[in-house]
Amino acid sequence: QVQLVESGGGMVQAGGSLRLSCAASGLTFNLQHMGWFRQTPGKERDFVAYIGANAGITYYADSVKGRFTISRDNGKNTVYLQMNSLKPEDTAVYYCAVLIAGSYRLGASYKYWGQGTQVTVSS
């Protein structure tokens, strides 16, 4: 059974940093392409960042480029999202997910999702 568990969320002031973690189990992690998405109430999940299975390729949403960094440790079956220079508009529930097929930017391309971790940025 595939399981993804996010952690590291919390409350931070604007300009601060957080590092999210997503621990995966029940799959061959080093073969999986992974993504981070975020969602605010009443809105769809938005793409944040993507990392290829061997970590050689990463992509970011324009809104986080230069501030967020996605990385992974295949030995620990974990993907990370380092978030710097946080803004109030980054406030959301953040989810990690496993890409199955299709565009890395679309939530429909991902099959397995974690339960999410809340990030709140105050001004």
Side-chain angles (χ1 to χ4, degrees), residues 56-69:
I57 295 176
T58 58
Y59 296 113
Y60 298 91
D62 288 343
S63 59
V64 307
K65 201 172 296 182
R67 299 188 297 123
F68 290 11
T69 302

Side-chain angles (χ1 to χ4, degrees), residues 24-63:
S25 60
L27 46 68
T28 308
F29 183 75
N30 62 352
L31 298 181
Q32 309 301 326
H33 308 302
M34 302 293 295
W36 283 97
F37 283 72
R38 64 188 181 186
Q39 187 173 27
T40 54
K43 295 187 177 180
E44 294 185 355
R45 289 182 187 179
D46 290 332
F47 168 74
V48 175
Y50 160 91
I51 188 165
N54 64 3
I57 295 176
T58 58
Y59 296 113
Y60 298 91
D62 288 343
S63 59

